[in-house]
Amino acid sequence: VQLQASGGGLVQAGGALRLSCVDSGRRFSTYAMGWFRQAPGKEREFVAAITWSGLSTYCTDSVKGRFSISRSNAQNTVYLQMNSLKPEDTAIYYCAADKSIARIYTPDYWGQGTQVTVSS
């Protein structure tokens, strides 16, 4: 598993971004995937996760109704669509992978981060 995240940037409050994370490995379709974020001075926190099949998704309460996670196993890519962005969403966003959705909070694999900055 080799994860490469992209799509971050600077956006005004209320705007939208879509993050992508590509896995250059061969077993992407067998892994649960997740997104995490780390704001300055804070610990890394869980944002969203999706099962290997894409049939089940999970989001932390603070982003429900605004963020959605999806995946394309054909393209070895997981996405995080972020709408109605708020300044408090500013963070470095990381994608992650694990064989089990039950362990996605402590995933085996991490990608590098992509910076998201939301201006007020």
Side-chain angles (χ1 to χ4, degrees), residues 9 20 22 27 36 48-49 69 75 83 88 103 106 110 115 118:
S20 300
V22 178
R27 298 183 178 180
F36 295 74
I69 186 171
Q75 296 183 330
N83 300 325
E88 52 263 42
R103 296 194 303 265
T106 55
W110 291 93
Q115 176 72 48
V118 185

Side-chain angles (χ1 to χ4, degrees), residues 50-58 71:
I50 187 167
T51 54
W52 66 268
S53 64
L55 292 179
S56 296
T57 61
Y58 309 87
R71 68 189 295 160

